[in-house]
Amino acid sequence: GRLARIVDDLIDLQQIQSGTFSLNFRKMNFSVFLSKVIQANTQLAQQSNMEIRCQLVPKDWFIQADESRLIQAMNKLILNAIN
């Protein structure tokens, strides 16, 4: 949980400072990505009596991004909003 996220953040910070931080960009469907992020965080939101809602983008909207880093960023945003 929380400790694992702190450790991941420290590892990322060390990689950024040492110049070894890398991003793996690939084409991804943003609508599918948002659905996954919402689904992964729904239970956490419900535990705090909150609801995550999103008006999805068109199904054929693709972006170039590092999916794992983008998931990490979205999860942190949602976690901060819930807490």
Side-chain angles (χ1 to χ4, degrees), residues 24 26 28 33 65-75:
N24 182 22
R26 67 176 190 82
M28 57 185 270
F33 166 80
D66 183 319
E67 186 172 5
S68 64
R69 298 295 180 181
L70 194 53
I71 287 171
Q72 182 182 21
M74 292 295 292
N75 286 339

